[in-house]
Amino acid sequence: VSQSRYTNWFWMRSDFSFQTVADDYDYTPAQAGITTRFSQWDVDTIKSFRTSIGVSNEYELHELTYSRYRSLYLTGPQPSGTPICFSIAPDRKLLLGPKPDGIFTVSGQYWKSPQALAANGDEPEMPAEFHMLIVWRALEMYGWYESAAEVIALAEKKIKFYMNRLEMNQLPDVTLPIVTGK
């Protein structure tokens, strides 16, 4: 199974939460408490609240392009206050703007990189009902190795069957943007 076929499999999503440091605006995945195979931030899920007030003060942070963020927050005097937006730096740091004037709790989700299965006891993170997909992919590879056309044909049929179900179960629904006005 090619985990990298899509970057947004549900089983590859994970949560993060961390507390900011006053006057620090950039955070690596490790500083955000992410220790498991970080791939990318899920920019649609990032939110924050002033820790001393609590979650009743929670709000979504809005994303800025990196160039816009640099223009607003990294040029001239560095403003501080309540972070209202974020950007992702080229080195994949999470940048908050303006820089926090106190301690804030920032949370959201991120996507993990593909899982390597190396030891015999390794179990795929993919939901168990789709583990046969891995078996059929291995059988297909065996069929190619042995030049066994009937094995390849059966494996390809089963791979298609399981892959269709995996995609329906583990990928977000396709949505179209709503266009209003002219």
Side-chain angles (χ1 to χ4, degrees):
V1 176
S2 176
Q3 293 174 73
S4 55
R5 183 175 194 173
Y6 301 101
T7 59
N8 60 342
W9 294 111
F10 290 151
W11 82 82
M12 293 176 70
R13 175 182 268 181
S14 194
D15 297 316
F16 73 88
S17 180
F18 69 97
Q19 291 186 343
T20 64
V21 175
D23 293 325
D24 282 353
Y25 66 90
D26 61 337
Y27 296 88
T28 65
Q31 289 170 316
I34 299 171
T35 59
T36 307
R37 303 188 340 261
F38 177 82
S39 175
Q40 63 188 7
W41 304 98
D42 183 350
V43 297
D44 295 328
T45 65
I46 299 175
K47 49 193 173 177
S48 180
F49 62 88
R50 189 174 293 271
T51 306
S52 62
I53 297 175
V55 75
S56 65
N57 174 261
E58 190 171 50
Y59 53 91
E60 289 183 23
L61 296 178
H62 298 285
E63 183 182 20
L64 295 178
T65 64
Y66 180 66
S67 61
R68 183 73 178 134
Y69 180 89
R70 282 187 54 79
S71 241
L72 290 172
Y73 297 109
L74 298 179
T75 304
Q78 305 294 307
S80 64
T82 298
I84 58 171
C85 63
F86 71 93
S87 188
I88 307 302
D91 62 1
R92 301 190 310 171
K93 286 182 181 175
L94 181 67
L95 309 175
L96 301 176
K99 63 184 173 183
D101 64 356
I103 299 173
F104 290 81
T105 299
V106 177
S107 64
Q109 295 185 319
Y110 69 98
W111 300 104
K112 296 183 213 175
S113 60
Q115 176 189 20
L117 299 174
N120 284 340
D122 287 351
E123 187 171 330
E125 293 172 345
M126 173 176 58
E129 66 260 34
F130 303 107
H131 287 184
M132 282 304 293
L133 184 55
I134 298 168
V135 174
W136 287 110
R137 182 72 75 191
L139 191 59
E140 178 189 39
M141 293 169 65
Y142 173 78
W144 284 108
Y145 177 80
E146 291 292 329
S147 298
E150 69 283 356
V151 172
I152 295 168
L154 176 61
E156 286 176 344
K157 181 179 177 183
K158 294 293 188 173
I159 289 167
K160 185 176 181 179
F161 172 83
Y162 280 102
M163 186 56 84
N164 286 340
R165 278 151 186 76
L166 178 64
E167 289 171 348
M168 288 182 347
N169 184 271
Q170 289 294 306
L171 289 174
D173 293 332
V174 176
T175 59
L176 298 174
I178 298 172
V179 180
T180 59
K182 290 187 180 185

